[in-house]
Amino acid sequence: MSPFKQRVIQIVRAVPRGKIVSYGQVALYAGAPRAAREVGWVLHATEGSDLPWWRVINKAGVITIRGALFVDKEIQKKLLVAEGVEVSDSFKVDMKKYRFVATDKQLREFELPEEYIGTIIRQKGF
DNA sequence: ATCTTGACTTGCC
DNA sequence: CGGCAAGCCAAGA
């Protein structure tokens, strides 16, 4: 398993109940700012594990799950609603309200280079 | 090695 | 807002 995958898993696990992160955000925390699509790939590949994959959606706050065999938008919506996250009929979530932002301490636990953490902190919006 | 395919993002109308 | 093209990068074929 690649280090990237390991980090993605670790990061997603750090997302608390009722909170949401975007793929790009996870990619950023994982040290690969432009690897958002790979995050989706990793989640897909780890289907069946205890990973809270449903807390990862796209940046616009929309559930964009595609072509999954055993999971679909409805399932994900249900899982989120069960945690107290409001999901609209068009599968949209209020990111401003539910977005999870990693603390400095957590970022350090992700074992990223010190200067890279500075880069992340400098990033205001995603 | 080369080409296609995404559970994505960003920028430009 | 909404649609579209390009960018990105790992996996599979």
Side-chain angles (χ1 to χ4, degrees), chain A residues 50-106:
Chain A
D50 60 343
L51 207 63
W53 56 268
W54 57 90
R55 295 179 193 147
V56 185
I57 60 181
N58 81 356
K59 192 185 180 182
V62 181
I63 294 175
T64 55
I65 194 165
R66 268 193 250 178
L69 297 172
F70 302 103
V71 295
D72 59 18
K73 293 178 177 178
E74 289 295 344
I75 304 277
Q76 186 165 8
K77 178 177 174 179
K78 248 190 199 169
L79 288 165
L80 289 174
V81 171
E83 296 187 343
V85 177
E86 299 170 60
V87 183
S88 76
D89 292 344
S90 50
F91 301 96
K92 271 194 286 193
V93 174
D94 184 349
M95 285 300 275
K96 296 229 156 107
K97 188 170 176 183
Y98 297 107
R99 195 188 66 212
F100 163 71
V101 179
T103 62
D104 291 4
K105 177 167 173 270
Q106 284 172 314

Side-chain angles (χ1 to χ4, degrees), chain A residues 3-12 29-31 110-112:
Chain A
F4 176 72
K5 261 189 187 172
Q6 294 272 11
R7 288 215 193 90
V8 169
I9 290 170
Q10 183 181 16
I11 292 162
V12 173
Y29 291 162
F110 297 155
E111 297 175 348
L112 295 167

